[in-house]
Amino acid sequence: MSASAIVALPLLGAILPPLFARAGRTPALLAALAPSVVALLLLWGQAASVFSGVPEEVRVPWVPALGLEWALRIDGLGFFFASLILAIGILIFIYSRGYLAGNEPIGTFYAYLLLFQGAMLGVVLADNLLLLPVFWELTSLSSFLLIGFWCHLPDGRRGARLALAITGAGGLALLAGLILLGEVAGTYRLSELAARQELILASPLAPAILTLILLGAFTKSAQFPFHFWLPHAMAAPTPVSAYLHSATMVKAGLYLLARVWPVFGQTDAWVVWVTGIGAATMLLGATIALFKDDLKALLAYSTVSHLGLVTMLLGLGTPTAVFAAMLHVLMHATFKAALFMNTGIVDHETGLRDLRRLSGLAKVMPLTAGLGTLAALSMAGVPPLNGFVSKEAMLVEVLAARWGGGWPLWGLVGLAAILSAAYAFRYFSALFFGPLRLPEGRIPHDPPALLWGPPLVLVVAVVVLGLWPSLAEPLLAAASAAAVGAHAPWPELALWHGFGAPLVVSAVAFVIGAAMVWHYRALSGRVLAWALPFDGRRAFFSAQEWLVRGAHRLIARVHSGVLGRYVLLLAVVSLAALALGWGMGEGWRPQRAPTPMNGLGLIFAGVGLAAIGLVVRWHHKRLRAVLLTGAVGLVVSLAFLHASAPDLALTQISVEAVTTVLLLLMLFFLPQHDTEPVAKPRGAAAASILIGSVVGLLAWVMMRNDGPNLADYFWSRSVSEGGGSNVVNVILVDFRGYDTFGEITVLGIAALVIYALLQGMQEGVAREHLHAWRFPFALSPTRHPLPFAVTARVMLPFLLMAVFYIFFRGHNAPGGGFIAALLLALAFLIQYMASGLSWTMHRMRLDAHVWIGTGLLVAGATGMAAMGLGAPFLRSAHGEVHIPGIGPVPLASAMGFDLGVLLTVFGAVTLALVQLAHLGQLAGFLPSRTPMDPARPKPSEKEG
Amino acid sequence: MEFERPDFSLAAAEIFVAVMALVVMVTGTFLRRISRELGYALAQLTVIGAAFITVFSVDDPTVRYTFGTMYVSDWLGQVLKLFIYLSVFASLLYGRLYLIERRLEKAEYYVLMLLSMLGAMILVSANNLLVLYLGLEMMTLALYALVAFDRDNGLRSEAAIKYFVLGAISSGLLLYGMSMIYGATGSLDLGVVGQAVSLGAGDELVFKFGLAFLVAGIAFKFGVVPFHMWVADVYHGAPTPVTLLISSAPKLAAFALAVRLLVGGFFGLAETWQPMLMLLAVASIVLGNLAAIAQSNIKRMLAYSGISHMGFVLLGLLAGVTDGGHQQVFNAYSSALFYAVSYALMSLASFGMVLLLARTGFEAEHIDDFKGLNRRSPWFAAMMMLVMFSMAGIPFFLGFFAKFAVLEAVVSAGHTWLAVLAVIMSVIGAYYYLRVVKVMYFDEPMDRTALIASSETRVLLSANALTLAVAGLMPQGLMAVCGYAVLTSF
């Protein structure tokens, strides 16, 4: 369990410092130290099991469905890195206490640092292929917060974003690679991978897996060509640079390389790529570092170079090279962290980090100068410091490398050693020695112990590890054994290896390096011009800009905001889908012969098409458009007649009549012409014709297909189950009675909506508009001509008779409630047109709402009655009733339902009509001045 | 024809909501003075009551039918319904202050909310083409009205008209497809249709035509490319509480629509619809992520991000068509469901944040309005950060596991290239989510007024955002529910 505790302590402990920060800065420091110290003690408590090779494991199922488990394992490699993370972390915490200014939120800072620490521990202890990338991303996130901690600096923000983007993207690549690895290997446990090496390498996915994992590692460890984020991340406060960007986080990539070494470490692809990229990074970083004047930039590029060196060692493919890599990780962490802290002190005291404006600081800050010089000498690889030990080991390994014959690589390494010696010399010689140069008005001096203590500890380690390197041997041997999966004869660590090629290289490097510092000015301009284009930052930002601009262009193209264009797209895509379906089908053969067509039918069709064409032509002339639409409707009803559907024809023709009249009435209040459409989408006409043709074709195809014929079904059951021989009516009131019930309900609601809308127009602004409105043409004084009125009144009883007739015959012959209702409405419409609203309304005492409500109630009651008798809703009963004098009359309970339909439909039409008429009155459209009804009030009186 | 009295208890939640919607309408008409408070209280009560009814009816894992076979009660439906309730609940709660400040708090609003919820519920439980269509129309018609609710605002009206016209066309397409299926099989029952399709009884060409229209209709409801044109305009134009609703509940309903139609009805033609879904998903993920980058309005940005998220849901659905065993198919559908549900949760929280920042005369719909939120309210800046991280699919958050589950299903179905493309586009997509985080933390606030929000909103919104983090740490609970729902429903 202690493995879980080690990871969890810093993560959970992150809550403490912000709380304790209220009590002061020192309590915050203690709160931050506590979790780390306890975790470090717990970790070292595991030392025995680690060195005996029986690592502690924790496994708790987390999301078993995905293969994710909380699996931690403290083996030699994990132990080595975890010790480094915790030990340096403790020093950094102490240092930060002195470094951060009094008004900065140190509690938050510690919280971020602890979060980072926990995530980092998770990375190096995780034993699950999914858990590792999770912690990996968490380190990116927490580093984002830390780099951006000084968010008032634009550089800090940009650096944070850059770092997050590069390492975050690399983390996703890593995640993808590890998932593939898990799928291929059949296990998600890191510790079981080595045993399945053959299986993994045999998979065709192996190159992809390797590429993705390397992408993850190279981005995190700032390898060429992704190295550019690291120097920009140096905008962070110096403790962060020291901790994340030199000692720990950037080493996560190296850790990962060591972790998968047993699987891929000896393949050709690995050796070529890892060694090649590592060497390139090493050289490039060292070159740029030499010519940087900003101290932190110098150290950043030097870190890039050293990371490249370790990468190269891991790529060599020999177990001893892995050992040398681990050795250098340890040595680099100590001297580089010390150097960063040292730079932080200089920055803190002088406010500057520029080598061109500072020099001779040893005179005012002797302690700082001593520490910095020792650490820099170690970086240069000067004996008897620890940098020398690891550099020698590295040179030995490169010389023994099986790849590249050793020598070309040897040359590169030698060059890097020269450069590295040069920038290390330059660091301390330019900064601490020579004439004293300082910024105006500041007198720097050695800082308090909080600031020099931590680097002192590290410098002591630098010296001790240099003099007695074998002290670190058990730790490194355990780490290397865990990394390569076997115990190999590890090279012996000693300060003095005797004379040999490595020593010669070192000596030459010192000499040439010193010479380069001497002739620095002559060199700098030329080399900088060569090395600077390798900065990927510009590429990154221009890629980002390109992406944003591209997105804007895309939006402008696909999302114009014009509705017509959307509709066009919708239609075209649907057609394409249809074509796809057609293309994937097996072809089509008509299964039915087409119905024959005679000359009359062709004429009808021609008239209909002509009318449609004219509607399109005159669609903005409203009156014509309405009348022409009516003509189209008439042709449709003729088509129904032609197809032997008198019932439909009757319905269609009455619907046409009523809607045309209502539309005309409404048009009265509207402008005569529609405005010309603003913009027609290009190709709209062609698209419309295409869509129309396709839909027509589709209908044709469907109708010539042989499917189950519904007509037969209804024909055979209409009389036996519905009790009527008019199939259409029986369908309406019986088979599909439910639907009809729904429809009349909707109709009723629609009528209420019309009521609400038009009622609204009779109030407020609209009312004033109507009042102010004048007819655009002269009116005849006799608006209700006498002959028309008289004829209409005479016609009324006959029309009502027809309504009754059509209603009652409906169940067996063309007719029915719906048609009857429309006819009834027409009968009253005629009265309204002939005699005016008030005359008509005066005689229709029932409000239209009542008609609608009653209709719905009647229809519903008929259906409920059936349910009351244990039958489904709306099931009809039928029989014959003998009425004396008339004879047997066939009756079906559906007739009650039909009556409901009649009342509702009639009510809906009347309601619309009455509301329109009210509008007319408001607009000054007063009743005729030639009253012909004796019962009517005098013209002087106001009409209601 | 034998008549069987339907088992009303299976549809108890729907009946309850329908009755309550009418009650709200009637009280809104007759008790005008208190109708506003009452409407809100009754609406919330209805949602909670419906949730209780649904929860107490889920103990039985068998699939049961009522109203003949028109209506189905199964776990899939119940889980989706519970999240639909949650969406409506959140929309009402988060949006309350917004409505009051804009004088939109009318009884009709609550009626429409409940009706659209009812439509979604019916859609989710439909086992019949017509019932499916009825539910769909009921839901969307109410939504059209809700979008136009602030009708004196030109932006809203334009959005509503666009939504309506395009929605009507897509409904027409769907209905056309259904009628073809009906013509070919003579049945509206999805079980019968499914059998006919898999036995090949009926004209294959007609099936495929019908299928093309059905897929177009489904794609429109999901709002995936190229049926996405309405999404951004409607999200932008609608009042934010309505946007919140549109971004969550109808997506869950669309998921049900897709599963019931494609998996339930048309599995026999899976090799025809799978490539269609693939095209839709790829186009959505690519265009959604790219277009979101260009947005400066956060509602539009979330609209495009929603398009790409729906592409992921489609990925999960299409991964169910595989030669792999039953387990793989099951994993694919449960991953799609998990994704849809997770997206709903994230979407609620993100629009909740937009609502939180809005106040009288200020919509807070620009990304710039989030500038410096950390200074104004560190807590809610952190909450928004959780939401954005989860949306971006950063590990340890719910959105990550949703993406992960879908991608795993896609890879094991053998479409590695799809997964790679989806990952690349998600990485690009992370840009615009992180931009919001950057703006909140690194930029200077444009205004420094304190946030105005009721304490319920603060609590629920925080809980909502924290859920994304907590469920990211422990996703197995939600995953198990989704898995169980899929397992018992097929």
Side-chain angles (χ1 to χ4, degrees):
Chain A
M1 267 332 279
S2 59
S4 295
I6 292 168
V7 176
L9 270 171
L11 285 178
L12 298 179
I15 313 167
L16 295 178
L19 296 177
F20 280 76
R22 296 178 184 198
R25 293 153 59 79
T26 308
L29 169 64
L30 295 177
L33 282 178
S36 301
V37 171
V38 175
L40 188 61
L41 292 177
L42 280 174
L43 181 71
W44 285 347
Q46 295 295 320
S49 69
V50 171
F51 289 118
S52 65
V54 198
E56 195 210 50
E57 292 186 5
V58 183
R59 294 191 189 285
V60 183
W62 188 351
V63 191
L66 300 179
L68 175 59
E69 59 177 357
W70 176 265
L72 300 174
R73 187 166 182 271
I74 311 182
D75 64 357
L77 190 60
F79 182 81
F80 170 60
F81 274 92
S83 307
L84 215 55
I85 293 160
L86 284 167
I88 295 188
I90 289 168
L91 295 178
I92 294 287
F93 290 164
I94 298 170
Y95 179 81
S96 305
R97 162 71 182 79
Y99 184 81
L100 282 195
N103 55 1
E104 285 176 304
I106 196 165
T108 320
F109 187 72
Y110 279 137
Y112 293 162
L113 276 177
L114 278 169
L115 272 183
F116 166 77
Q117 193 179 54
M120 199 61 212
L121 288 168
V123 169
V124 300
L125 296 183
D127 190 32
N128 183 287
L129 286 176
L130 298 178
L131 190 62
L132 187 143
V134 165
F135 282 121
W136 184 283
E137 290 288 358
L138 213 55
T139 61
S140 297
L141 276 183
S142 49
S143 89
F144 171 72
L145 291 171
L146 281 168
I147 300 171
F149 184 73
W150 279 344
C151 60
H152 50 275
L153 302 175
D155 261 6
R157 287 162 16 194
R158 204 166 310 138
R161 261 155 57 206
L162 197 63
L164 184 68
I166 301 290
T167 58
L172 279 175
L174 172 70
L175 178 62
L178 292 182
I179 290 171
L180 288 180
L181 183 59
E183 293 284 325
V184 168
T187 176
Y188 275 91
R189 289 187 184 167
L190 269 168
S191 49
E192 290 172 4
L193 287 180
R196 309 200 184 192
Q197 186 198 14
E198 284 178 20
L199 184 69
I200 296 165
L201 292 183
S203 156
L205 283 174
I209 295 173
L210 180 60
T211 310
L212 288 168
I213 292 179
L214 288 184
L215 273 179
F218 287 170
T219 47
K220 196 76 160 180
S221 286
Q223 297 296 296
F224 178 80
F226 309 110
H227 61 284
F228 56 90
W229 72 264
L230 184 57
H232 295 292
M234 291 299 164
T238 303
V240 175
S241 308
Y243 193 30
L244 273 69
H245 304 126
S246 77
T248 57
M249 189 179 84
V250 290
K251 303 241 162 82
L254 307 178
Y255 165 80
L256 183 72
L257 291 179
R259 245 324 157 212
V260 296
W261 197 91
V263 179
F264 296 107
Q266 278 156 323
T267 59
D268 287 342
W270 173 281
V271 172
V272 171
W273 280 108
V274 179
T275 313
I277 295 286
T281 313
M282 172 177 72
L283 207 59
L284 184 70
T287 313
I288 300 177
L290 179 56
F291 299 104
K292 283 287 170 188
D293 293 317
D294 180 357
L295 286 172
K296 273 178 89 174
L298 187 157
L299 291 179
Y301 280 105
S302 131
T303 306
V304 169
S305 164
H306 282 272
L307 291 171
L309 191 161
V310 178
T311 304
M312 180 193 74
L313 283 174
L314 286 169
L316 288 178
T318 54
T320 44
V322 174
F323 182 85
M326 293 300 120
L327 177 67
H328 196 67
V329 166
L330 175 65
M331 304 315 194
H332 176 253
T334 48
F335 67 67
K336 192 54 70 63
L339 278 173
F340 266 111
M341 293 189 194
N342 198 62
T343 306
I345 295 173
V346 173
D347 191 8
H348 194 258
E349 291 300 317
T350 65
L352 278 182
R353 303 195 304 240
D354 193 338
L355 276 180
R356 286 167 302 186
R357 295 171 61 190
L358 292 171
S359 68
L361 291 184
K363 298 186 177 76
V364 284
M365 317 167 64
L367 183 63
T368 312
L371 292 176
T373 305
L374 274 175
L377 283 173
S378 176
M379 178 159 78
V382 173
L385 301 168
N386 68 352
F388 173 74
V389 176
S390 59
K391 189 175 70 177
E392 295 286 288
M394 181 266 291
L395 290 170
V396 170
E397 288 309 322
V398 171
L399 204 53
R402 71 181 166 105
W403 176 76
W407 285 105
L409 200 56
W410 178 256
L412 288 180
V413 170
L415 194 54
I418 294 169
L419 290 167
S420 138
Y423 66 69
F425 290 157
R426 177 159 183 257
Y427 177 86
F428 70 83
S429 63
L431 183 62
F432 297 123
F433 302 104
L436 180 64
R437 271 194 300 170
L438 284 172
E440 290 289 315
R442 287 188 87 133
I443 304 160
H445 40 74
D446 275 325
L450 269 177
L451 280 179
W452 60 254
L456 176 70
V457 173
L458 286 171
V459 169
V460 168
V462 163
V463 176
V464 170
L465 284 175
L467 291 172
W468 300 283
S470 54
L471 282 178
E473 207 169 324
L475 185 65
L476 295 168
S480 313
V484 303
H487 281 280
W490 307 118
E492 201 152 308
L493 285 181
L495 179 63
W496 184 246
H497 275 290
F499 290 101
L503 196 66
V504 175
V505 172
S506 289
V508 171
F510 298 148
V511 173
I512 301 182
M516 284 171 92
V517 175
W518 198 256
H519 295 288
Y520 179 75
R521 302 236 167 270
L523 277 171
S524 66
R526 240 172 278 165
V527 182
L528 266 185
W530 169 79
L532 273 185
F534 287 90
D535 189 352
R537 188 178 101 129
R538 201 174 305 158
F540 177 83
F541 281 112
S542 62
Q544 181 184 330
E545 207 173 294
W546 177 83
L547 191 67
V548 171
R549 229 180 304 139
H552 276 285
R553 217 170 294 159
L554 180 77
I555 275 297
R557 185 149 310 168
V558 303
H559 204 120
S560 55
V562 179
L563 182 60
R565 210 165 282 179
Y566 296 171
V567 174
L568 201 62
L569 179 63
L570 195 73
V572 168
V573 171
S574 307
L575 287 188
L578 268 188
L580 196 72
W582 183 286
M584 287 165 66
E586 288 157 2
W588 172 76
R589 288 175 313 284
Q591 289 154 327
R592 269 189 207 170
T595 321
M597 182 80 154
N598 56 20
L600 200 61
L602 278 177
I603 292 173
F604 286 161
V607 172
L609 283 177
I612 291 171
L614 289 177
V615 172
V616 174
R617 174 73 187 75
W618 283 327
H619 66 95
H620 53 275
K621 305 214 156 133
R622 289 178 170 165
L623 190 66
R624 281 183 216 180
V626 168
L627 289 175
L628 283 166
T629 318
V632 176
L634 283 180
V635 171
V636 171
S637 65
L638 284 176
F640 285 144
L641 210 57
H642 182 70
S644 320
D647 214 327
L648 287 185
L650 208 52
T651 313
Q652 177 75 29
I653 213 162
S654 39
V655 166
E656 271 321 314
V658 172
T659 42
T660 306
V661 169
L662 285 178
L663 277 173
L664 286 176
L665 282 175
M666 193 66 223
L667 269 190
F668 197 68
F669 303 102
L670 295 176
Q672 297 294 303
H673 302 280
D674 199 353
T675 48
E676 286 284 341
V678 184
K680 286 178 192 139
R682 240 177 296 158
S688 309
I689 291 171
L690 181 70
I691 292 160
S693 322
V694 170
V695 172
L697 188 74
L698 213 60
W700 190 67
V701 166
M702 294 299 295
M703 281 190 274
R704 295 195 61 189
N705 257 3
D706 225 358
N709 196 335
L710 284 170
D712 296 338
Y713 174 88
F714 288 122
W715 275 120
S716 63
R717 293 172 196 228
S718 171
V719 178
S720 62
E721 294 190 6
S725 51
N726 175 3
V727 178
V728 175
N729 185 260
V730 172
I731 291 175
L732 279 178
V733 299
D734 191 313
F735 290 115
R736 292 274 175 260
Y738 217 148
D739 297 355
T740 310
F741 187 54
E743 281 158 17
I744 58 172
T745 313
V746 169
L747 194 65
I749 294 171
L752 290 179
V753 171
I754 293 175
Y755 178 75
L757 282 175
L758 295 188
Q759 196 73 28
M761 282 181 69
Q762 299 175 22
E763 294 160 7
V765 186
R767 186 191 175 92
E768 276 153 33
H769 273 292
L770 280 172
H771 266 305
W773 186 69
R774 288 285 160 264
F775 293 110
F777 42 84
L779 289 169
S780 154
T782 56
R783 249 162 296 144
H784 302 305
L786 196 59
F788 184 24
V790 171
T791 320
R793 284 177 211 180
V794 172
M795 285 287 288
L796 183 62
F798 294 104
L799 275 171
L800 292 183
M801 279 285 281
V803 169
F804 270 104
Y805 174 67
I806 284 195
F807 176 71
F808 277 109
R809 78 196 284 253
H811 215 49
N812 289 311
F818 189 70
I819 302 171
L822 291 174
L823 211 54
L824 189 60
L826 268 180
F828 284 96
L829 258 177
I830 291 172
Q831 299 309 313
Y832 163 72
M833 308 245 270
S835 309
L837 176 75
S838 42
W839 187 88
T840 316
M841 290 315 293
H842 203 62
R843 279 149 188 86
M844 276 183 65
R845 300 290 164 85
L846 276 179
D847 188 17
H849 294 91
V850 179
W851 293 106
I852 296 173
T854 317
L856 284 176
L857 278 180
V858 168
T862 320
M864 297 296 267
M867 279 185 101
L869 296 172
F873 185 66
L874 279 178
R875 161 157 299 182
S876 73
H878 49 89
E880 287 194 345
V881 181
H882 281 271
I883 299 174
I886 295 181
V889 174
L891 265 185
S893 66
M895 203 165 270
F897 183 70
D898 221 7
L899 180 65
V901 174
L902 185 149
L903 294 175
T904 314
V905 174
F906 173 65
V909 176
T910 323
L911 191 62
L913 179 70
V914 170
Q915 290 304 316
L916 280 177
H918 274 306
L919 282 189
Q921 283 186 328
L922 267 178
F925 190 55
L926 291 171
S928 168
R929 287 179 194 283
T930 53
M932 55 155 293
D933 185 10
R936 205 176 166 283
K938 297 234 160 47
S940 57
E941 288 174 40
K942 182 89 183 159
E943 281 278 351
Chain B
M1 198 160 86
E2 219 26 63
F3 175 60
E4 196 185 336
R5 192 174 291 282
D7 182 358
F8 289 114
S9 72
L10 294 181
E14 281 83 353
I15 295 171
F16 174 69
V17 174
V19 170
M20 287 305 287
L22 296 179
V23 168
V24 175
M25 185 156 70
V26 172
T27 52
T29 310
F30 293 106
L31 303 173
R32 284 211 172 245
R33 244 182 311 154
I34 55 164
S35 71
R36 294 172 176 200
E37 289 74 17
L38 194 67
Y40 175 75
L42 280 178
Q44 288 293 40
L45 251 165
T46 309
V47 175
I48 295 167
F52 266 106
I53 295 172
T54 302
V55 166
F56 283 115
S57 58
V58 295
D59 53 339
D60 185 4
T62 53
V63 180
R64 289 183 293 171
Y65 297 93
T66 181
F67 299 109
T69 52
M70 291 204 285
Y71 181 94
V72 57
S73 158
D74 56 8
W75 258 68
L76 178 68
Q78 316 291 19
V79 169
L80 285 173
K81 273 184 213 169
L82 285 176
F83 280 94
I84 288 170
Y85 301 150
L86 185 68
S87 314
V88 176
F89 183 78
S91 170
L92 288 171
L93 188 77
Y94 296 160
R96 182 154 162 73
L97 206 61
Y98 181 95
L99 294 174
I100 293 174
E101 283 166 353
R102 284 160 189 74
R103 300 177 183 283
L104 295 176
E105 207 216 11
K106 298 177 184 147
E108 295 94 308
Y109 182 84
Y110 301 114
V111 177
L112 287 169
M113 274 273 181
L114 289 181
L115 287 179
S116 90
M117 182 172 93
L118 179 61
M121 291 162 73
I122 292 172
L123 171 55
V124 160
S125 279
N127 193 42
N128 179 297
L129 292 177
L130 262 190
V131 180
L132 210 62
Y133 183 74
L134 282 180
L136 186 70
E137 280 305 278
M138 186 165 203
M139 175 180 84
T140 38
L141 282 174
L143 288 177
Y144 302 146
L146 282 171
V147 171
F149 203 75
D150 186 6
R151 63 179 179 198
D152 296 330
N153 184 323
L155 190 66
R156 311 259 187 269
S157 308
E158 185 187 336
I161 286 287
K162 281 180 178 165
Y163 194 21
F164 178 68
V165 170
L166 294 170
I169 292 175
S170 84
S171 289
L173 291 179
L174 196 69
L175 206 53
Y176 202 19
M178 286 179 175
S179 68
M180 286 188 180
I181 306 305
Y182 180 55
T185 62
S187 173
L188 290 168
D189 185 274
L190 276 172
V192 179
V193 170
Q195 259 178 346
V197 170
S198 48
L199 293 177
D203 194 312
E204 203 206 346
L205 187 65
V206 178
F207 277 141
K208 287 191 172 163
F209 279 179
L211 185 61
F213 282 123
L214 292 186
V215 170
I218 292 170
F220 182 86
K221 295 302 163 196
F222 267 122
V224 288
V225 178
F227 300 93
H228 66 287
M229 301 79 68
W230 61 278
V231 178
D233 289 345
V234 171
Y235 273 41
H236 179 197
T240 313
V242 178
T243 310
L244 186 150
L245 185 70
I246 292 179
S247 74
S248 50
K251 307 284 182 206
L252 296 171
F255 179 80
L257 182 72
V259 168
R260 301 260 188 237
L261 277 180
L262 297 183
V263 182
F266 275 86
F267 206 71
L269 280 179
E271 75 278 9
T272 307
W273 57 256
Q274 194 197 25
M276 295 186 191
L277 291 197
M278 215 177 267
L279 286 177
L280 295 172
V282 167
S284 307
I285 293 175
V286 171
L287 187 116
N289 277 319
L290 288 181
I293 293 174
Q295 304 305 322
S296 59
N297 181 306
I298 194 162
K299 282 162 86 178
R300 291 190 87 89
M301 185 202 100
L302 289 171
Y304 283 107
S305 106
I307 290 172
S308 77
H309 283 295
M310 288 304 114
F312 267 92
V313 174
L314 291 188
L315 280 187
L317 284 177
L318 71 87
V321 185
T322 161
D323 301 331
H326 182 257
Q327 183 64 32
Q328 257 187 37
V329 177
F330 157 77
N331 279 348
Y333 292 130
S334 76
S335 77
L337 175 62
F338 181 58
Y339 201 101
V341 164
S342 310
Y343 172 70
L345 285 176
M346 295 189 279
S347 188
L348 290 182
S350 52
F351 283 108
M353 286 300 306
V354 178
L355 280 172
L356 182 79
L357 261 63
R359 56 173 187 275
T360 315
F362 177 68
E363 291 288 332
E365 55 183 25
H366 290 283
I367 292 176
D368 286 350
D369 295 334
F370 281 76
K371 272 187 180 175
L373 183 62
N374 187 38
R375 308 273 182 82
R376 295 169 62 195
S377 167
W379 174 254
F380 281 107
M383 292 297 114
M384 185 66 177
M385 183 172 75
L386 294 184
V387 178
M388 289 293 112
F389 281 173
S390 182
M391 282 247 188
I394 286 173
F396 260 166
F397 293 93
L398 186 59
F400 165 74
F401 286 105
K403 283 206 168 67
F404 188 94
V406 164
L407 291 179
E408 200 189 33
V410 170
V411 169
S412 49
H415 310 292
T416 312
W417 68 273
L418 265 182
V420 170
L421 182 84
V423 168
I424 292 173
M425 292 317 296
S426 315
V427 171
I428 292 175
Y431 170 81
Y432 54 86
Y433 297 117
L434 294 178
R435 186 158 59 121
V436 177
V437 176
K438 174 226 152 201
V439 159
M440 287 192 307
Y441 278 88
F442 293 156
D443 286 357
E444 285 298 317
M446 306 251 275
D447 70 315
R448 290 168 186 280
T449 45
L451 300 180
I452 313 160
S454 64
S455 51
E456 308 96 89
T457 304
R458 285 170 189 270
V459 170
L460 187 71
L461 189 54
S462 307
N464 191 337
L466 287 173
T467 305
L468 303 179
V470 174
L473 293 173
M474 293 171 285
Q476 64 271 56
L478 194 54
M479 272 181 170
V481 170
C482 293
Y484 191 72
V486 170
L487 189 67
T488 53
S489 305
F490 288 106

